[in-house]
Amino acid sequence: MAKKTINVEGTAITLLSIGEDDFISLTDIDQRFEGGGRHIENWIRNQNTIEYLTTWETLHNPNFNSMQLHGIKEQIGLNRFLLSVKKWVELTSAIGLRSSAGRYGGTYAHLDIAFHFCLWLSPTFQLYIAKEFQRLKKEEAKESKEALDWNLKRTLAKVNYRVHAEAVREYLMPPQLVNTKKEGIVFASEADLLNVAVFGMTAREWKMQNPEAKGNMRDHASTEQLIILANLESLNAKLLEWDCDQEQRLEILNKTAIDQMNVLLGLPAVKELKAGMKLDGELE
């Protein structure tokens, strides 16, 4: 259960994400208006509200107890008719409304139902809360896409890392440096060899040119560049096994990077991957 807060016209309103559904605090909305504390019970006693809740539960809740509706509807309009959210849930096994005490205490309603309450209470406020909720969802979608893109890049960057690391340790690492702090220097040198072959610069040079950028150069690489880096790790492992010196390896790696880039730029699978990522960005 994730909790967030949105600010609508100066009112802090709590949102709960339960599974794939969003619930909005009717209690927070109610308190904004004069007479706060009574609006929810007045709203749920309304005949149109009960009809709306009944339809919503019928569509979304297979366990909805519609047998209790007859007794409720018989009392609508009577001065003595009382109905609370808690009673509605207990009688009908409804899932669109929640009322509880404790950490997330208060009355919460599914997004659809919360908008109905807002419309009944204040059509103007309903527009404001809908707009703020849409802004929040766009922000969450952007964060989710950025996390997905980052994970994709990190996965691509790790594809052949172990193969490369083992080759460096076996064929290039001086025995006295194995499992010491200094072995990192050797690994960094080989990583930069790949960086120069693909990006034309070392990690340090890239950082000097991009001092404000977060992460490293591989975090900002294109999909094609990361695929090539993974491929070059495997190739460099073989070149180390064949005892090629660094100058030879750089020449071969750079030529391979150029050749593979020319192929990947026209590859339908890569185009589809990039198009999908672009479409996600446009939908935000």
Side-chain angles (χ1 to χ4, degrees), residues 153 155-161 164 191 193-200 218 221-237 250 252-267 270 273:
K153 289 185 174 183
T155 299
L156 284 172
K158 293 177 180 178
V159 169
N160 287 316
Y161 172 79
H164 187 248
L193 181 70
L194 300 178
N195 290 335
V196 172
V198 177
F199 304 106
R218 300 190 182 195
S222 68
T223 304
E224 293 90 350
Q225 288 171 326
L226 289 172
I227 292 173
I228 292 169
L229 273 169
N231 292 340
L232 293 191
E233 284 180 327
S234 180
L235 175 57
N236 194 41
L250 178 57
I252 294 171
L253 292 169
N254 181 245
K255 185 179 185 306
T256 303
I258 294 171
D259 292 342
Q260 290 192 5
M261 181 62 76
N262 289 333
V263 173
L264 289 174
L265 287 174
L267 198 64
V270 177
L273 176 61

Side-chain angles (χ1 to χ4, degrees), residues 15-271:
L15 276 69
L16 294 181
S17 293
I18 304 174
E20 296 181 356
D21 296 318
D22 292 301
F23 285 74
I24 298 178
S25 172
L26 299 192
T27 303
D28 291 343
I29 296 170
D30 188 15
Q31 294 300 322
R32 172 187 171 86
F33 297 91
E34 185 178 352
R38 297 194 301 270
H39 298 308
I40 297 174
E41 288 194 2
N42 290 336
W43 165 73
I44 201 171
R45 291 168 55 194
N46 183 277
Q47 181 175 351
N48 290 331
T49 298
I50 292 174
E51 289 181 359
Y52 179 87
L53 293 176
T54 299
T55 302
W56 190 94
E57 293 290 344
T58 301
L59 291 172
H60 299 90
N61 182 6
N63 297 316
F64 181 59
N65 187 0
S66 59
M67 299 296 292
Q68 295 290 341
L69 292 175
H70 180 71
I72 293 174
K73 289 181 177 180
E74 277 190 337
Q75 299 182 61
I76 294 175
L78 297 178
N79 292 335
R80 64 177 180 273
F81 177 49
L82 297 174
L83 183 64
S84 65
V85 170
K86 186 176 181 179
K87 185 176 180 181
W88 166 259
V89 172
E90 289 176 350
L91 288 173
T92 66
S93 299
I95 61 173
L97 286 167
R98 302 167 61 93
S99 183
S100 61
R103 183 180 179 187
Y104 299 120
T107 297
Y108 288 83
H110 185 277
L111 175 66
D112 301 337
I113 298 171
F115 282 173
H116 183 276
F117 174 66
C118 288
L119 187 63
W120 175 85
L121 191 59
S122 168
T124 301
F125 190 74
Q126 193 262 5
L127 290 174
Y128 282 121
I129 197 171
K131 181 179 179 181
E132 181 60 23
F133 183 80
Q134 289 172 350
R135 182 202 63 76
L136 175 66
K137 290 291 119 178
K138 286 181 179 179
E139 189 176 280
E140 288 180 348
K142 182 180 179 182
E143 292 173 354
S144 177
K145 178 182 178 298
E146 288 175 349
L148 180 63
D149 290 349
W150 189 85
N151 286 331
L152 173 62
K153 289 185 174 183
R154 301 310 294 178
T155 299
L156 284 172
K158 293 177 180 178
V159 169
N160 287 316
Y161 172 79
R162 183 175 293 276
V163 173
H164 187 248
E166 289 302 318
V168 170
R169 186 174 281 114
E170 183 174 354
Y171 301 112
L172 192 64
M173 187 80 67
Q176 65 270 24
L177 296 185
V178 174
N179 295 324
T180 69
K181 292 182 179 179
K182 291 185 178 180
E183 74 172 5
I185 298 173
V186 181
F187 282 122
S189 175
E190 286 303 300
D192 266 339
L193 181 70
L194 300 178
N195 290 335
V196 172
V198 177
F199 304 106
M201 66 182 75
T202 65
R204 185 172 182 274
E205 289 169 342
W206 182 88
K207 194 63 180 177
M208 289 177 66
Q209 292 183 21
N210 303 274
E212 303 300 323
K214 295 182 179 179
N216 57 46
M217 64 197 306
R218 300 190 182 195
D219 293 326
H220 295 269
S222 68
T223 304
E224 293 90 350
Q225 288 171 326
L226 289 172
I227 292 173
I228 292 169
L229 273 169
N231 292 340
L232 293 191
E233 284 180 327
S234 180
L235 175 57
N236 194 41
K238 270 298 175 188
L239 294 175
L240 286 169
E241 182 182 348
W242 295 337
D243 200 27
C244 295
D245 62 38
Q246 192 173 74
E247 186 176 346
Q248 288 178 305
R249 288 189 287 117
L250 178 57
E251 182 179 351
I252 294 171
L253 292 169
N254 181 245
K255 185 179 185 306
T256 303
I258 294 171
D259 292 342
Q260 290 192 5
M261 181 62 76
N262 289 333
V263 173
L264 289 174
L265 287 174
L267 198 64
V270 177
K271 286 184 177 180

